[in-house]
Amino acid sequence: MSNAAELDMSPSPELQIPVRDDDERLNPDFIAAVETAIAAEDKSGLSAIAADLHEADTGDLLEALSPDDRAAFIRLLGEDFDYTALTETDEAVRLQLLEDLPNDVIAEGLGDLDSDDAVYILEDLDEDDQAAILEELPYADRAQLKKALDYPEDSAGRRMQSEFIAVAPFWTVGQTIDYMREARDLPDDFYEIYVVDPSFKLLGSVHLDKILRTKRREKVTSIMAERLDAVQATEDQEEVARRFERYNLVSSAVVDENDRLVGVLTVDDIVDVIQEEAEEDLRALAGLGDEEISDNVMTIARSRLTWLVVNLGTAVLASVVIALFEETIEAMVALAVLMPIVASMGGNAGTQTMTVAVRGIATQELSARNLMRVLNREVLVSCLNGLALAVLIGVTAWLWFSSLGLGVVIGSAIVINMLFAGLSGLLIPIALDRLNIDPAIASSVFVTTVTDVVGFFAFLGIAALWFGLPF
Amino acid sequence: MSNAAELDMSPSPELQIPVRDDDERLNPDFIAAVETAIAAEDKSGLSAIAADLHEADTGDLLEALSPDDRAAFIRLLGEDFDYTALTETDEAVRLQLLEDLPNDVIAEGLGDLDSDDAVYILEDLDEDDQAAILEELPYADRAQLKKALDYPEDSAGRRMQSEFIAVAPFWTVGQTIDYMREARDLPDDFYEIYVVDPSFKLLGSVHLDKILRTKRREKVTSIMAERLDAVQATEDQEEVARRFERYNLVSSAVVDENDRLVGVLTVDDIVDVIQEEAEEDLRALAGLGDEEISDNVMTIARSRLTWLVVNLGTAVLASVVIALFEETIEAMVALAVLMPIVASMGGNAGTQTMTVAVRGIATQELSARNLMRVLNREVLVSCLNGLALAVLIGVTAWLWFSSLGLGVVIGSAIVINMLFAGLSGLLIPIALDRLNIDPAIASSVFVTTVTDVVGFFAFLGIAALWFGLPF
């Protein structure tokens, strides 16, 4: 078997058009073949190339199709369409499809899914649509999904799957294995089973490899892990993700407030949370909301404008500082030429420190315990880099305007601004965090304000004093 | 059992000091108890509170201790110290400890680990130290680790563990289960077993839950997944992580260039890679190298300075543009007051688009297929937000300086700069990606240059033309 064939993880068995190209992007030829089948309403042709795709590939395919083709794709595939694919598209595509498809069709599709996938699809709908779809479901499914949807957004209860295997403490390994061989509706994938008392109170968990390594006659309690790392159903998913990550968990029991087993969280759900969390900080620092690449112009424009307007306040404040020195600039216009350098160097250094601080807070690597050490370090780093830049910029200014004084003035302003950049880059995120404001969202406006105001004020102020200019 | 006791995942059994507080940070009282035991050289006291910790807690504890206490901690715990904890500390702490501890002690500690953990600890050492430690290891372990270290940095071969279970295709489920009950050195945790031919060529994989659900007399080949999603040992870990994430994998076989099974990758290693990757973009965009919170002043100052000096080039270029208009500014100093607003608004808008583009490229959501659609959208968003900001800023400038003309000039300059910000924010990362330059690292310098140069040039140029000023 050649390497190329191995990289292609989900070949379409009949036509042999690779689903993905060498960069693991969807293959344009494959998309074209799907589009042709849809245009020709060729139900069997479409099934032949698209029915056996992995749900992740189907999700990417839906995103690549035009909105009309998406609904047609699902309609044509009919029973062959796996609704799990809707958990793999971005939100805008999912909502469009849920709007375009009849509720009874959606309900039938959701009936086959694990509860966590069904909840994931339902939770973004408004309440009326949710209720309409739930009504079409059989009673047991409906009750289960309603219960999950009652948990707060982004809680473990929303992400968990309600399908799991629980056995009584007096069972042996042999009984457990026999039970699993006979039972019909087991979860799709599972990595551990749980031991519960008659009231479903969680007693412990047993990894599957433990079961396989143990003699049939042993009691499950003898190989069960009693250390209860059960997640509370109401716990926030980010907290849970941090725990999965820290303790390298693959799955975890979820219990309600009475310590009764209600579901299971698996690492594949948590991987998405972990990535979202790191990405959220990145987006927040850049002033982006949770826009998706498929969102429309107005949604995106509006969500970005808020941030720009807030930053406009900062920019105007900087202008007010410059306006204080109008006469100084009029007397020496070189100051206007050089002043953005001071502000921009401070802004860059502030962003560096702030990014370290924001991530340090998020990952809990920055704490009260090492704050003083980190603060000392940031001050030293700022001074060192401030001095290095001061020499570079000072000499540049000196040679450019043939004025040693101007070099000294801009050099001193740089050192001062770098120091403020380091201090504010570290202390502003920490202060915001103490005030329970997300430092990733709010820090950069404040840090930029400090570096702009201090930068312009220090440079123009020192210049006015040094050269005896009016202000 | 109360909630508080449940949150505390790893209580120290004897003294009952909770290891973590309510925020899941290490409990200061616990750290103090450890420090006291170390200071008193109280071997049994230390073992009582710290020997049974999860490796992740031990890792965090090592980071919290002073450098001297770290080595003393390991020395005092002796056989009770689990070297896996070194994979849970940051690099600076790990390197310090590896330097402070004698090579034979390290070699003995590494001998007990799974191969992936041992490689993770060894790979950051320089070659001499690596060789010295490897020499202390038994031949089989040494050969295995050397082979893993021969794979390229950040490849699947470095991250995989060489312990796995492989069975012959003619085996039954019953034989497989009996083998696992008898075998001695099985991997610590595993989620699937592999079927190989006599030359160890990979034929397929079987999830443990499949084995447990199947009758003993069935052949393993009848329940094996043939779809080979095996990872190449030389493949880059980021590619592998994307595949784990896309297909919700929990583990995957790793094969060599002859398609022979050489190891297994599990999701807990991959979770770290996924988080690192998202975080790498964040750090790169902020001009940070791979500094850690425990690095020293000089390392950090040097790594950050590079970025600042590169950005200094951008700032000086902006100043050169302003210098072209010295006479214009001298004639109308209000221009110097307002000009940073135009550049800063463009810079912010450019950063927004650039961040979307950089992440879109990393996650492959942005591709040739939707580029034109995204480009159209960015142009429209830029125009819309440009107009909104132009009105806001134009009116502000008009009222501030009682000059309608100044309002019109700054408004037009804003619209122009916002358009360039949107275009460069999208096209620069894409162009860099095509040139095989990491867009996260290089984009922001170019985008800032565009928004600074265009911002100052458009504003001062239009002003000079509108008011008939000299330049």
Side-chain angles (χ1 to χ4, degrees):
Chain A
M1 176 172 267
S2 78
N3 281 2
E6 259 176 61
L7 275 173
D8 159 25
M9 293 182 51
S10 30
S12 51
E14 315 272 325
L15 294 193
Q16 298 295 347
I17 307 175
V19 176
R20 295 192 177 265
D21 61 19
D22 290 347
D23 290 337
E24 304 216 8
R25 295 175 201 263
L26 275 194
N27 180 357
D29 295 340
F30 175 74
I31 300 173
V34 169
E35 285 168 337
T36 311
I38 293 173
E41 300 257 339
D42 176 5
K43 195 172 151 62
S44 66
L46 187 64
S47 285
I49 54 175
D52 292 331
L53 292 180
H54 188 284
E55 65 235 33
D57 294 326
T58 311
D60 283 359
L61 177 62
L62 284 173
E63 286 179 6
L65 293 176
S66 72
D68 287 343
D69 277 358
R70 287 171 194 153
F73 176 85
I74 296 178
R75 214 185 48 239
L76 277 173
L77 271 187
E79 296 241 314
D80 286 341
F81 180 73
D82 175 1
Y83 277 75
T84 320
L86 290 188
T87 65
E88 304 280 345
T89 68
D90 66 29
E91 195 185 333
V93 173
R94 184 162 57 245
L95 289 178
Q96 179 239 318
L97 278 171
L98 292 173
E99 194 135 304
D100 290 358
L101 294 169
N103 283 342
D104 57 323
V105 171
I106 298 172
E108 215 185 300
L110 294 187
D112 300 331
L113 302 188
D114 275 349
S115 60
D116 55 337
D117 292 327
V119 168
Y120 190 87
I121 292 172
L122 284 173
E123 66 181 355
D124 294 329
L125 291 175
D126 57 48
E127 292 204 5
D128 290 346
D129 288 335
Q130 251 182 33
I133 294 173
L134 284 172
E135 223 156 86
E136 307 272 345
L137 285 169
Y139 176 75
D141 287 356
R142 194 194 323 159
Q144 197 183 48
L145 294 183
K146 269 193 175 157
K147 204 175 144 201
L149 286 166
D150 273 348
Y151 286 112
E153 219 185 311
D154 295 334
S155 69
R158 283 279 183 101
R159 290 284 81 77
M160 72 186 183
Q161 77 190 47
S162 317
E163 296 83 7
F164 51 78
I165 297 173
V167 302
F170 51 82
W171 280 30
T172 63
V173 168
Q175 274 176 297
T176 306
I177 293 181
D178 293 342
Y179 167 73
M180 283 192 270
R181 286 203 185 122
E182 302 305 329
R184 292 197 150 225
D185 50 340
L186 294 180
D188 280 354
D189 289 301
F190 58 99
Y191 312 104
E192 51 185 17
I193 62 157
Y194 302 98
V195 184
V196 294
D197 76 5
S199 67
F200 252 75
K201 219 175 116 124
L202 181 66
L203 300 175
S205 64
V206 189
H207 276 271
L208 294 190
D209 59 306
K210 272 265 174 65
I211 296 181
L212 282 166
R213 291 188 223 191
T214 310
K215 306 260 186 236
R216 284 181 64 88
R217 62 175 175 276
E218 296 264 354
K219 279 246 172 87
V220 284
T221 42
S222 72
I223 52 169
M224 142 186 120
E226 282 189 77
R227 197 171 104 186
L228 286 185
D229 47 6
V231 165
Q232 293 290 318
T234 50
E235 217 172 318
D236 187 82
Q237 59 177 3
E238 294 195 1
E239 257 174 66
V240 178
R242 252 200 308 266
R243 211 185 300 169
F244 263 74
E245 210 191 335
R246 181 184 301 132
Y247 296 114
N248 297 329
L249 304 179
V250 167
S251 67
S252 170
V254 181
V255 295
D256 66 11
E257 65 281 10
N258 298 318
D259 218 22
R260 275 193 295 252
L261 183 63
V262 289
V264 178
L265 271 173
T266 50
V267 69
D268 53 310
D269 303 315
I270 295 300
V271 162
D272 299 336
V273 177
I274 290 172
Q275 176 159 35
E276 270 168 35
E277 202 187 344
E279 195 157 319
E280 242 171 48
D281 279 357
L282 170 68
R283 307 173 76 97
L285 283 170
L288 292 168
D290 50 1
E291 66 174 65
E292 312 228 16
I293 212 120
S294 57
D295 278 346
N296 68 33
V297 170
M298 284 310 294
T299 316
I300 291 188
R302 216 174 310 125
S303 103
R304 292 194 197 165
L305 187 60
T306 320
W307 172 256
L308 293 174
V309 171
V310 171
N311 273 276
L312 180 56
T314 300
V316 170
L317 199 63
S319 292
V320 170
V321 173
I322 300 173
L324 296 176
F325 296 93
E326 268 189 72
E327 289 180 53
T328 322
I329 293 172
E330 216 155 11
M332 191 184 220
V333 78
L335 298 179
V337 172
L338 292 174
M339 67 185 186
I341 297 182
V342 181
S344 131
M345 284 295 103
N348 286 324
T351 302
Q352 289 181 324
T353 306
M354 178 182 74
T355 305
V356 170
V358 165
R359 281 311 291 169
I361 292 170
T363 61
Q364 302 193 337
E365 283 184 294
L366 181 61
S367 65
R369 202 175 163 84
N370 59 5
L371 176 58
M372 281 318 294
R373 199 179 62 72
V374 174
L375 186 65
N376 277 331
R377 191 194 66 185
E378 287 300 325
V379 169
L380 275 170
V381 168
S382 300
C383 289
L384 280 173
N385 284 350
L387 287 171
L389 289 173
V391 171
L392 257 174
I393 300 169
V395 171
T396 310
W398 174 21
L399 297 178
W400 187 352
F401 293 96
S402 314
S403 159
L404 177 58
L406 203 52
V408 173
V409 168
I410 198 169
S412 333
I414 289 274
V415 172
I416 293 174
N417 204 21
M418 289 286 287
L419 195 58
F420 274 86
L423 286 173
S424 63
L426 180 64
L427 297 178
I428 286 173
I430 289 175
L432 290 170
D433 184 48
R434 296 258 161 104
L435 297 170
N436 281 320
I437 301 170
D438 182 354
I441 293 178
S443 293
S444 79
V445 175
F446 291 106
V447 173
T448 316
T449 305
V450 169
T451 55
D452 274 5
V453 167
V454 172
F456 291 125
F457 195 89
F459 177 56
L460 297 173
I462 296 173
L465 292 174
W466 181 278
F467 296 110
L469 297 173
F471 60 93
Chain B
M1 175 171 268
S2 78
N3 282 3
E6 259 176 58
L7 275 173
D8 159 26
M9 294 182 51
S10 29
S12 51
E14 313 273 324
L15 294 193
Q16 296 295 345
I17 307 176
V19 175
R20 292 188 180 267
D21 61 19
D22 290 346
D23 289 338
E24 306 216 6
R25 295 175 200 265
L26 276 193
N27 180 357
D29 294 341
F30 176 74
I31 301 173
V34 169
E35 285 168 338
T36 311
I38 293 173
E41 299 256 339
D42 175 5
K43 195 172 152 61
S44 66
L46 187 64
S47 284
I49 55 174
D52 292 330
L53 291 180
H54 188 282
E55 67 237 31
D57 294 326
T58 311
D60 283 359
L61 176 62
L62 284 172
E63 286 179 7
L65 295 174
S66 72
D68 286 344
D69 277 358
R70 288 171 195 154
F73 176 85
I74 296 177
R75 212 185 48 242
L76 276 173
L77 271 188
E79 297 240 315
D80 286 340
F81 180 72
D82 175 1
Y83 277 76
T84 319
L86 288 189
T87 65
E88 305 279 345
T89 67
D90 68 30
E91 195 184 333
V93 173
R94 184 163 57 246
L95 289 177
Q96 179 240 318
L97 278 171
L98 292 172
E99 194 135 304
D100 289 358
L101 294 168
N103 284 342
D104 57 324
V105 172
I106 297 172
E108 215 184 300
L110 294 188
D112 300 331
L113 302 188
D114 275 347
S115 60
D116 56 336
D117 292 327
V119 168
Y120 190 87
I121 293 172
L122 284 173
E123 66 181 356
D124 294 328
L125 291 175
D126 59 46
E127 291 202 7
D128 291 348
D129 288 334
Q130 250 181 35
I133 294 173
L134 283 172
E135 224 156 86
E136 307 273 346
L137 285 169
Y139 176 76
D141 287 355
R142 194 194 321 158
Q144 197 183 47
L145 293 182
K146 268 192 175 159
K147 205 176 141 199
L149 287 166
D150 274 346
Y151 286 112
E153 217 184 315
D154 296 334
S155 68
R158 284 278 182 98
R159 289 285 80 77
M160 72 188 184
Q161 78 191 46
S162 317
E163 296 85 5
F164 51 79
I165 297 173
V167 301
F170 50 83
W171 279 31
T172 63
V173 168
Q175 276 178 296
T176 307
I177 293 180
D178 292 343
Y179 166 74
M180 284 192 270
R181 287 205 183 118
E182 303 305 331
R184 291 199 149 223
D185 50 341
L186 293 181
D188 281 353
D189 289 302
F190 57 99
Y191 313 101
E192 51 184 17
I193 63 157
Y194 301 98
V195 183
V196 294
D197 77 5
S199 68
F200 253 74
K201 217 174 117 118
L202 180 65
L203 300 175
S205 64
V206 189
H207 276 270
L208 295 190
D209 58 307
K210 273 267 176 61
I211 297 179
L212 282 166
R213 292 187 222 191
T214 309
K215 307 258 186 241
R216 284 181 63 88
R217 60 175 176 278
E218 296 262 356
K219 279 245 169 89
V220 285
T221 42
S222 72
I223 52 169
M224 136 188 125
E226 282 189 74
R227 199 172 102 184
L228 287 184
D229 47 5
V231 166
Q232 293 290 319
T234 50
E235 216 171 321
D236 188 83
Q237 59 178 3
E238 293 195 1
E239 257 173 67
V240 178
R242 254 201 305 266
R243 213 185 299 170
F244 263 73
E245 210 190 335
R246 182 183 302 134
Y247 297 113
N248 297 329
L249 304 179
V250 167
S251 68
S252 170
V254 181
V255 296
D256 67 10
E257 64 282 11
N258 299 318
D259 218 21
R260 274 193 297 252
L261 183 63
V262 290
V264 179
L265 271 172
T266 51
V267 69
D268 53 310
D269 303 315
I270 294 299
V271 162
D272 298 337
V273 176
I274 290 173
Q275 177 157 35
E276 269 167 35
E277 203 189 343
E279 195 155 320
E280 243 170 47
D281 279 357
L282 170 68
R283 306 173 79 96
L285 283 170
L288 294 165
D290 51 0
E291 65 175 67
E292 312 227 18
I293 212 120
S294 57
D295 278 345
N296 68 31
V297 171
M298 283 311 292
T299 315
I300 290 188
R302 217 174 311 123
S303 103
R304 291 193 197 165
L305 187 59
T306 319
W307 172 256
L308 293 174
V309 170
V310 171
N311 273 274
L312 180 56
T314 299
V316 170
L317 199 63
S319 291
V320 171
V321 173
I322 300 172
L324 295 176
F325 295 94
E326 268 190 74
E327 290 180 52
T328 322
I329 293 171
E330 216 155 11
M332 192 183 216
V333 78
L335 298 178
V337 172
L338 293 174
M339 67 185 186
I341 297 182
V342 181
S344 130
M345 283 295 103
N348 286 324
T351 302
Q352 289 181 326
T353 306
M354 179 182 75
T355 304
V356 170
V358 165
R359 282 310 291 167
I361 292 169
T363 60
Q364 301 193 337
E365 283 184 293
L366 181 62
S367 64
R369 202 173 162 84
N370 60 4
L371 176 58
M372 283 316 297
R373 201 177 62 72
V374 175
L375 186 64
N376 277 330
R377 191 193 66 186
E378 288 300 325
V379 169
L380 274 170
V381 168
S382 301
C383 289
L384 280 173
N385 284 350
L387 287 171
L389 290 173
V391 171
L392 257 174
I393 300 168
V395 171
T396 310
W398 174 21
L399 297 178
W400 187 354
F401 293 96
S402 313
S403 159
L404 177 58
L406 202 52
V408 172
V409 167
I410 198 170
S412 330
I414 289 275
V415 172
I416 293 173
N417 204 21
M418 289 286 287
L419 195 58
F420 273 87
L423 286 172
S424 63
L426 180 64
L427 297 177
I428 287 173
I430 289 176
L432 290 169
D433 184 49
R434 296 257 161 104
L435 297 170
N436 281 320
I437 301 169
D438 182 354
I441 293 177
S443 292
S444 82
V445 176
F446 291 106
V447 174
T448 316
T449 305
V450 169
T451 55
D452 273 6
V453 167
V454 172
F456 290 126
F457 195 88
F459 178 55
L460 297 173
I462 296 175
L465 291 174
W466 181 278
F467 296 110
L469 298 173
F471 61 94

